[in-house]
Amino acid sequence: MIGVNKIDKKYSLALHGGAGAVAGRDYAVVEDHLRGLIEASQANLAAGASALDVVEYAVAEMESSGLYVAGRGSAPNTAGYVELDASIMDGATREAGAVAAIVGVVSPIRVARRIMQVTPHVMLAGNGALAFAREQGFEEVSDPDTYYVLPVGVYESEIHEQKHGTVGAVALDLSGGFAAATSTGGTFGKLAGRVGDSPMIGAGTWADDDIAISCTGTGEHIIRAGGAISIACKVKAGATPEVAIDEMLAEVKRLGGDGGIIAVTRDGNTVMTYNSEGMKRASVSSSEAVTVATFGA
Ligand code: ASP
């Protein structure tokens, strides 16, 4: 019996840094960061950390790095300020938490998890989300003019090159639990109050007993294409995760958008697929070495 359990023990993990990567740009610094982060996260998973703790940790690290369009690396909306979306889901309990259009917190994903833990709600938005974060003592951005990497002045030139970005993490832990987390500054040129797929459970983020999924890409199209839950339902009905993901991304494309998806599956595999120009990504599992890439297959 002990032998069987040992054979069953496996973990897997995938990270994305957004599907807004632009061909020809050098992402060496981002890839180095992803490598260090996935190695640290892998060590936690291998030591028995829960998938939920690991995805929260990885996303919070990406938020604070300033290297991605999430947390510190987010761009302002057309009204000139940064609004953030994030969500997290625990597959085993099906508990979930999310923040939408929150302003001024350092780590939206940590606020999302706290909403999941201490409120009866799944999502808090705008001023209510900020009031909750304050009451819970979460760190706030002291000076938005110096904290965010992309000041308002950079916005116009950036918009032509990189239209969107997001970070996400999905994990299967040694106990067989799945979790997914996603955090974003949203799309460039978004209106104040715009909310994309990333904080919507079932759209940008999903985890159940068979799969954990985090999406990136043009959020409006991901929502309209059925999002992560459409993939999970197809997998439950017998489709392979690869086919279900390809079909959802094809629908995003058909509707006029693009994007990418990372998933970990019950058999311990990681899937990382995109139909944009590139997707910053990394994966590892108990049977596969670390991979890090932005372009190519
Ligand atoms: N999906 C995100 C949003 O629409 C953006 C992205 O993933 O690049 O807010």
Side-chain angles (χ1 to χ4, degrees):
M1 238 2 229
I2 289 167
V4 171
N5 282 340
K6 267 195 174 155
I7 291 165
D8 281 339
K9 293 259 183 214
K10 54 190 171 216
Y11 65 80
S12 54
L13 173 68
L15 310 177
H16 73 73
V22 178
R25 271 208 202 171
D26 182 2
Y27 290 99
V29 172
V30 172
E31 290 182 2
D32 281 352
H33 183 258
L34 281 174
R35 184 174 298 281
L37 183 57
I38 202 156
E39 285 172 356
S41 305
Q42 174 189 19
N44 292 343
L45 267 184
S50 72
L52 193 62
D53 283 346
V54 169
V55 297
E56 181 191 14
Y57 161 76
V59 166
E61 288 291 311
M62 289 192 274
E63 287 175 335
S64 63
S65 71
L67 293 171
Y68 312 89
V69 186
R72 191 162 176 237
S74 300
N77 58 28
T78 54
Y81 58 94
V82 172
E83 283 184 318
L84 303 169
D85 300 335
S87 64
I88 189 164
M89 186 166 191
D90 181 14
T93 61
R94 219 60 80 75
E95 289 179 331
V99 288
I102 191 169
V103 175
V105 298
V106 167
S107 179
I109 199 67
R110 293 206 186 281
V111 180
R113 181 160 181 195
R114 189 69 60 83
I115 290 168
M116 172 179 125
Q117 287 172 318
V118 307
T119 82
H121 309 305
V122 166
M123 183 188 287
L124 294 178
N127 288 339
L130 178 57
F132 172 81
R134 279 192 176 142
E135 179 215 289
Q136 293 285 319
F138 283 98
E139 189 183 355
E140 289 182 58
V141 172
S142 52
D143 181 1
D145 288 341
T146 54
Y147 180 73
Y148 293 108
V149 172
L150 206 55
V152 178
V154 177
Y155 160 78
E156 278 303 329
S157 59
E158 284 284 317
I159 200 168
H160 300 297
E161 296 185 55
Q162 182 176 315
K163 292 198 165 44
H164 55 80
T166 286
V167 302
V170 290
L172 166 67
D173 64 31
L174 288 174
S175 308
F178 287 91
T182 311
S183 179
T184 191
T187 48
F188 287 81
K190 70 178 185 180
L191 297 175
R194 177 267 185 188
V195 174
D197 61 305
S198 305
M200 293 184 190
I201 297 301
T205 302
W206 180 258
D208 58 26
D209 292 324
D210 297 311
I211 196 163
I213 301 166
S214 172
C215 301
T216 170
T218 52
E220 285 72 6
H221 302 106
I222 292 171
I223 294 165
R224 290 163 54 208
I229 185 77
S230 70
I231 297 167
C233 288
K234 282 184 180 170
V235 169
K236 283 228 184 307
T240 66
E242 288 81 359
V243 166
I245 287 170
D246 283 350
E247 286 177 358
M248 206 284 269
L249 281 177
E251 184 66 358
V252 169
K253 194 67 142 191
R254 190 185 72 77
L255 295 173
D258 62 15
I261 286 163
I262 57 170
V264 290
T265 64
R266 177 47 67 198
D267 54 13
N269 287 343
T270 57
V271 186
M272 304 192 290
T273 309
Y274 61 94
N275 60 10
S276 55
E277 285 179 36
M279 178 170 74
K280 298 159 247 173
R281 60 197 189 276
S283 70
V284 72
S285 75
S286 38
S287 57
E288 304 260 334
V290 168
T291 69
V292 180
T294 300
F295 303 108

